[in-house]
């Protein structure tokens, strides 16, 4: 059973929420979302920041706006989580290369 968190509950993030909750091999343990309306619509724990999560997590699906990907990937990788980054992965090739280096560490 993979315990997952989704970062961003917008259009794409909400699709990931549905996919994870429908997968019998996954458990959605929380969503990182700062928009109060989106947060209120979720039926799982909601966190303002990755750093606020205090439950066991195996991986994070990064579905936040692209400019936020570097910060979210760094925070998730620092906690040892696997990450799936929604496309586009980064705004520039240099940013994408930096994300790869971060995850490899």
């Amino acid at each position: 059973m993979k315990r997952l968190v989704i970062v961003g509950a917008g259009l794409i993030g909400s699709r990931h929420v549905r996919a994870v909750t429908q997968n019998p091999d996954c458990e959605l343990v929380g969503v990182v979302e700062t928009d109060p309306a989106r947060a209120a619509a979720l039926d799982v724990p909601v966190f303002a920041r990755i750093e606020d999560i205090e439950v066991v997590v195996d991986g994070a699906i990064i579905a936040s706006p692209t400019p936020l990907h570097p910060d979210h990937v760094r925070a998730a990788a620092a906690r040892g989580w696997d990450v799936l980054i929604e496309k586009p992965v980064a705004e520039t090739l240099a940013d994408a290369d930096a994300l790869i280096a971060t995850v490899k560490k």
Side-chain angles (χ1 to χ4, degrees):
M1 177 72 67
K2 285 285 188 180
R3 297 172 52 86
L4 301 174
V5 64
I6 296 171
V7 182
L11 178 65
I12 301 302
S14 63
R15 291 178 185 168
H16 285 291
V17 167
R18 284 191 300 278
V20 170
T21 57
Q22 292 174 358
N23 186 322
D25 296 324
C26 297
E27 178 183 358
L28 181 61
V29 296
V31 174
V32 176
E33 179 55 60
T34 57
D35 180 274
R38 287 183 186 155
L42 297 167
D43 192 26
V44 296
V46 177
F47 304 93
R49 304 172 323 131
I50 290 172
E51 294 82 2
D52 297 335
I53 298 172
E54 296 181 359
V55 297
V56 176
V57 174
D58 298 309
I61 298 172
I62 310 298
S64 55
T66 303
L68 301 176
H69 287 181
D71 290 339
H72 292 155
V73 170
R74 275 192 290 276
R79 298 189 71 166
W81 300 345
D82 294 330
V83 294
L84 180 147
I85 309 166
E86 188 56 60
K87 63 182 190 276
V89 170
E91 292 184 291
T92 68
L93 182 56
D95 289 344
D97 288 339
L99 290 177
I100 292 168
T102 296
V103 173
K104 283 185 176 180
K105 288 181 183 179

